[in-house]
Amino acid sequence: MEGVNRSNRCQQEKNMRVVVIGAGIVGSSVAYEAAKAGAQVTVLEAGRIAGGASTTSFAWTNATGKRPHSYYALNVAGMRAHLDLAREFGHAPWFHQTGSIEWYANEADWSAQLQNANEVRDWGYGVEWISKARVAELEPEIDLSAIGDSPIVYYPEEGWIQPALYAAWLLRAAKEKWNADIRPYQGVKSVDVRNGVAKAVKTVDGAVYEADAIINCTGGWAAHVLDGVPAIPMASTMGIIGFTFPLATTLRRQFHMDDLDVRPDGAGRLMIHKISADALVTEMQPLDTAGREAKHLLDAVRKVLPAIQAIDMESIRTVIRPIPSDNLTCSGWIPGVEGYYVAVTHSGVSIAPHLGKAVAQEVVRGHAHESLHDFRPDRFLAAKNGMSGR
């Protein structure tokens, strides 16, 4: 009997029609893993592939400062899954596990830095306290005077990715190996729900895609109401990311000092984020590479990398960071709408490959994944809808 049940289950997985809404780093991961699990996958993306938050993210793979422990563990699982995915593909041009360097100029921040480093080390995270001489060996372009007497932490397991390449390679594999249907510039308008069951999605141009399961991976747009289904309450934030011109730099590792984050971005470009600069924008708008925002970023990074010049900003962008309203990942069946699943997180870059596997297990194979236990949409929507989604 078990052999018959297993056969029926495998046939069901192969015939299952899954529509993934959104083709950023989370959507591409979910689509890849769902297709690999045997589902017939269609991906609907309102714009270009990875054209939203994914390509305006600092794209830092890490679990530093992630709390509570279950959220930390989810991020660590994602970091491990990046390594597994690189082995699976044989090469991963999108993934750079170079480690990251952290220091704080203000002595008042040192105790919190020590407490965080000690706690994650006790949880099994890679943590090394290093000297300025070691920084000079690792990254000789960093001006050591910018560090002063600050304690320096090196997190060797951390890294960064290029989300557009990540999405491109995973969706290409999903299409070539398992015949996934990838459709950019197909915005979704509504979900057809009949008798409490999600049956199909309708695009803004009127096309209808029937499905056995619909997975919303739209990031910050998860707060936008699709006709027929509830939205996820979000507390997304706005910010600024700057990109230098290609520079003759050998910087390989990202560094984090005070509220400044800098990392390589390929072809000699550097990506720059400064938390205090985020307050300079209040709406999504084009920014001038010679404007005050760019100057704010460049002035900060030039104190650490003096070779950078005041005219070296190639582009500067406003960004929306998708954050569920309690700051934690939200992944699971939507209560009250059978067959409708949501996966949205602020930690998409770190956890995407793991989240893809976990969601595929839950949606295609029908088995709950323990790592998502604390992150269900029920915490937002159960009181309103009063029933489970699957």
Side-chain angles (χ1 to χ4, degrees):
M1 176 64 87
E2 173 58 27
V4 173
N5 290 340
R6 184 180 297 113
S7 176
N8 291 341
R9 186 168 62 246
C10 291
Q11 187 62 39
Q12 181 181 5
E13 291 168 0
K14 289 180 180 179
N15 293 333
M16 187 178 202
R17 299 165 301 173
V18 172
V19 171
V20 178
I21 308 173
I25 190 166
V26 171
S28 60
S29 300
V30 168
Y32 174 78
E33 295 294 345
K36 185 168 67 172
Q40 300 172 14
V41 174
T42 299
V43 180
L44 302 176
E45 165 56 53
R48 67 180 186 276
I49 301 300
S54 294
T55 46
T56 52
S57 164
F58 192 75
W60 171 20
T61 57
N62 77 96
T64 306
K66 305 293 177 69
R67 304 293 187 278
H69 184 270
S70 58
Y71 188 44
Y72 160 85
L74 187 63
N75 280 266
V76 168
M79 294 168 69
R80 304 290 186 266
H82 273 290
L83 295 172
D84 293 339
L85 191 64
R87 285 189 287 267
E88 183 175 334
F89 273 75
H91 73 302
W94 61 81
F95 181 48
H96 309 270
Q97 191 187 33
T98 54
S100 63
I101 303 169
E102 174 194 270
W103 72 90
Y104 293 91
N106 190 340
E107 187 173 354
D109 295 322
W110 295 356
S111 61
Q113 179 192 36
L114 175 63
Q115 180 179 351
N116 176 70
N118 285 344
E119 186 167 43
V120 296
R121 182 194 58 203
D122 291 344
W123 289 345
Y125 206 63
V127 177
E128 299 176 18
W129 294 94
I130 63 174
S131 65
K132 288 198 290 185
R134 179 59 175 152
V135 172
E137 293 174 359
L138 294 173
E139 300 294 349
E141 295 175 23
I142 291 179
D143 186 346
L144 298 181
S145 68
I147 300 177
D149 296 325
S150 304
I152 309 163
V153 181
Y154 178 50
Y155 295 106
E157 297 174 295
E158 296 182 355
W160 53 280
I161 72 164
Q162 293 171 287
L165 291 181
Y166 177 101
W169 280 95
L170 266 65
L171 292 177
R172 173 181 169 178
K175 180 178 181 179
E176 292 181 350
K177 294 181 179 181
W178 304 294
N179 203 33
D181 187 9
I182 315 301
R183 295 182 175 266
Y185 303 101
Q186 289 287 312
V188 171
K189 179 182 180 181
S190 62
V191 176
D192 181 10
V193 179
R194 304 171 214 160
N195 298 319
V197 181
K199 293 290 189 179
V201 298
K202 185 175 182 179
T203 66
V204 294
D205 62 4
V208 175
Y209 296 86
E210 295 185 352
D212 300 301
I214 299 163
I215 309 173
N216 187 329
C217 301
T218 57
W221 284 270
H224 296 195
V225 175
L226 294 175
D227 293 345
V229 291
I232 295 296
M234 301 288 286
S236 300
T237 61
M238 186 170 295
I240 297 172
I241 291 286
F243 301 83
T244 69
F245 287 104
L247 304 172
T249 178
T250 63
L251 187 76
R252 294 185 60 245
R253 295 163 184 84
Q254 57 192 311
F255 64 83
H256 310 276
M257 67 154 298
D258 301 333
D259 72 338
L260 176 68
D261 308 299
V262 179
R263 70 161 175 83
D265 193 48
R269 289 179 176 85
L270 300 180
M271 180 184 284
I272 309 167
H273 171 241
K274 188 171 174 62
I275 295 173
S276 58
D278 291 344
L280 300 177
V281 294
T282 57
E283 60 181 348
M284 296 293 287
Q285 61 189 44
L287 297 177
D288 187 348
T289 56
R292 63 169 184 156
E293 299 88 0
K295 183 178 186 301
H296 192 67
L297 295 181
L298 285 171
D299 285 350
V301 77
R302 292 180 68 203
K303 295 176 182 177
V304 185
L305 300 173
I308 293 180
Q309 301 300 303
I311 57 172
D312 280 343
M313 189 71 77
E314 182 179 50
S315 67
I316 183 167
R317 307 172 194 168
T318 50
V319 304
I320 293 289
R321 302 184 183 95
I323 308 174
S325 61
D326 61 0
N327 296 315
L328 299 175
T329 294
C330 179
S331 186
W333 298 105
I334 292 294
V337 186
E338 184 176 343
Y340 182 62
Y341 192 105
V342 169
V344 58
T345 178
H346 181 46
S347 295
V349 164
S350 291
I351 72 173
H354 172 78
L355 188 60
K357 287 180 179 292
V359 172
Q361 175 177 306
E362 298 200 325
V363 172
V364 183
R365 297 194 170 98
H367 303 301
H369 201 286
E370 180 64 25
S371 69
L372 300 181
H373 180 268
D374 291 345
F375 307 104
R376 300 307 190 185
D378 303 48
R379 67 189 193 267
F380 300 128
L381 303 171
K384 179 178 179 180
N385 293 284
M387 58 188 292
S388 73
R390 187 103 174 161

